Amino acid sequence: QIGVIMAAVKARASTFFFEGQTIRLIPSCGVFVTMNPGYAGRAELPDNLKAIVRPVSMMVPDFSLIAEIMMFAEGFSSAKPLAKKMVAIMELSQQQLSKQDHYDYTLRSFVIPISRAA
């Protein structure tokens, strides 16, 4: 499916046939495949997709900055020190709690308490 879209972009087609329908092609479109193979239940990218996409490295997000911005946006007046404390709690929990699969220290689980506190 991705190959069909990429072939249409490469051919500079104005329309292309995709799964039984003719679709207008927007020349500036892009195809992005996000994977997190180290995450529980995820698999590696199949070889046929590896051949047609190029990898991009990602960085670990700055949890403190994200927490600070979220807290300021929700009206917390002392967001900076609260964000640092929140990061410290998460880091201590990650270090000291047992290494079980149900403990999740990803960004998604980090922002939930901030959203609920607001």
Side-chain angles (χ1 to χ4, degrees):
Q1 295 165 334
I2 293 174
V4 172
I5 298 167
M6 292 178 74
V9 170
K10 189 175 184 178
R12 299 182 190 271
S14 58
T15 61
F16 67 103
F17 195 68
F18 185 75
E19 292 195 356
Q21 293 185 348
T22 301
I23 299 175
R24 182 175 63 95
L25 179 67
I26 299 171
S28 61
C29 76
V31 177
F32 300 90
V33 180
T34 57
M35 296 287 293
N36 190 357
Y39 199 69
R42 303 283 169 87
E44 286 287 328
L45 194 63
D47 288 337
N48 61 337
L49 283 179
K50 282 184 185 176
I52 60 174
V53 296
R54 76 180 151 172
V56 176
S57 297
M58 302 297 284
M59 295 174 37
V60 175
D62 184 346
F63 283 39
S64 184
L65 182 60
I66 292 168
E68 181 183 343
I69 291 168
M70 285 182 70
M71 288 179 185
F72 270 128
E74 293 294 344
F76 287 82
S77 58
S78 56
K80 193 174 204 95
L82 286 173
K84 287 182 181 180
K85 288 178 183 179
M86 187 75 185
V87 170
I89 289 169
M90 290 294 282
E91 287 174 349
L92 283 170
S93 297
Q94 189 173 12
Q95 292 167 5
Q96 295 183 3
L97 292 174
S98 60
K99 309 290 182 219
Q100 296 180 34
D101 290 338
H102 62 271
Y103 291 127
D104 183 13
Y105 301 101
T106 60
L107 182 60
R108 182 181 299 126
S109 65
F110 178 73
V111 299
I112 290 170
I114 297 168
S115 301
R116 298 245 168 99

